[in-house]
Amino acid sequence: MNKITFTIILLVFAGYVIFQGIKRFQLGSMNTALQKKDSDMLERLADMGISRKLLGNYVCDLYKLRGYYVAKETEKFEKTLLHMINTQYKGSADKKSFLENYFHTFLLKENRKYADWLLEAIRKTDDETFIHYNELSYGVMLDKRSDLIDVMEEDINSKKYYGFALGAILVMIAKQYSYLQGRENELVYYQSAKACFDPRAVYMPLVEKKLKELEA
């Protein structure tokens, strides 16, 4: 390896290390502001040009949304939520994940207003499988429907759903059995749901709470 090639490799590596260091610093600063519920600081950090370039618009907007939520700044939260719903980000998977996660967050909180906003956006994705399970989840959580068990069991058997979506469907079946006072079936479906979720999934606190109650 000649000197020029070695120097180029060294410069590229140094540039990468510096890039990652700045990125970690920006993320660390934003996480600190989030933990302190300092939405003003978080907003300034998220809107910095360097943050937008290093982390991307989606991540920066998501931090702002979380900051306004934990600080209970309703007006700013709603404005940012609508902005994110209406924005086409580079990564379509990011947008879909955002819609799914926040939709189910507000189903759990029985916040029909925000759930309606998110469901409208979900319907615009034109992903019929995605739309289908979210519409049924809305019916179970907000309209307290208990007549969708057979339909949702067919969805499970179709093998179209996996991961979070499958776990959510299992939770919805468990919820319907709770409405119908079917404790044994409720327990079985919550046990199955737990196996589908990441430990940080929005439904995990509910699932763990219900399992403790039903197994007692």
Side-chain angles (χ1 to χ4, degrees):
M1 184 183 294
N2 60 43
K3 267 189 176 181
I4 295 175
T5 302
F6 179 76
T7 301
I8 291 171
I9 292 171
L10 190 62
L11 288 172
V12 170
F13 178 73
Y16 174 78
V17 170
I18 292 169
F19 171 83
Q20 291 298 324
I22 297 171
K23 186 176 179 179
R24 282 195 298 271
F25 176 78
Q26 290 299 106
L27 277 172
S29 299
M30 289 165 70
N31 280 318
T32 299
L34 185 61
Q35 290 169 2
K36 292 181 177 179
K37 299 183 181 181
D38 188 345
S39 61
D40 291 335
M41 176 60 73
L42 187 53
E43 181 180 322
R44 287 195 292 273
L45 287 166
D47 285 337
M48 288 174 64
I50 192 169
S51 297
R52 294 277 162 174
K53 286 181 180 178
L54 292 176
L55 305 174
N57 290 325
Y58 171 72
V59 171
C60 290
D61 286 344
L62 193 58
Y63 266 94
K64 287 173 66 176
L65 186 72
R66 290 171 178 167
Y68 296 141
Y69 185 76
V70 298
K72 298 181 180 179
E73 294 191 43
T74 303
E75 186 175 343
K76 287 186 175 181
F77 173 80
E78 290 185 351
K79 183 178 179 181
T80 306
L81 179 61
L82 288 170
H83 167 75
M84 292 191 72
I85 286 171
N86 294 317
T87 298
Q88 293 299 322
Y89 294 99
K90 284 185 179 179
S92 58
D94 286 340
K95 180 64 174 289
K96 193 171 179 180
S97 175
F98 158 73
L99 293 174
E100 185 173 55
N101 188 54
Y102 275 85
F103 176 67
H104 287 273
T105 295
F106 292 120
L107 287 187
L108 272 169
K109 295 181 179 297
E110 297 191 12
N111 188 317
R112 194 178 291 268
K113 178 181 178 180
Y114 297 159
D116 284 345
W117 290 357
L118 290 154
L119 184 58
E120 181 181 357
I122 287 168
R123 286 172 173 150
K124 290 178 181 177
T125 64
D126 294 326
D127 183 336
E128 291 302 323
T129 302
F130 185 55
I131 295 166
H132 173 74
Y133 107 84
N134 283 303
E135 287 182 333
L136 294 185
S137 299
Y138 184 101
V140 173
M141 295 296 287
L142 296 183
D143 296 332
K144 309 301 180 185
R145 292 183 63 177
S146 60
D147 61 328
L148 299 171
I149 293 173
D150 289 343
V151 174
M152 300 190 95
E153 284 181 341
E154 286 178 13
D155 290 334
I156 293 170
N157 294 331
S158 73
K159 309 298 183 183
K160 293 178 181 178
Y161 297 100
Y162 54 91
F164 180 89
L166 178 58
I169 291 171
L170 291 163
V171 167
M172 296 309 142
I173 295 175
K175 287 289 290 183
Q176 291 176 83
Y177 276 117
S178 74
Y179 300 152
L180 298 168
Q181 303 297 311
R183 289 176 62 87
E184 289 185 10
N185 286 322
E186 184 183 357
L187 173 61
V188 169
Y189 279 97
Y190 275 128
Q191 288 170 333
S192 298
K194 185 176 181 179
C196 296
F197 289 129
D198 181 279
R200 297 167 295 178
V202 296
Y203 281 112
M204 281 301 287
L206 169 69
V207 170
E208 290 178 342
K209 177 185 175 183
K210 290 295 184 181
L211 286 175
K212 285 181 182 178
E213 291 175 358
L214 293 164
E215 290 172 347

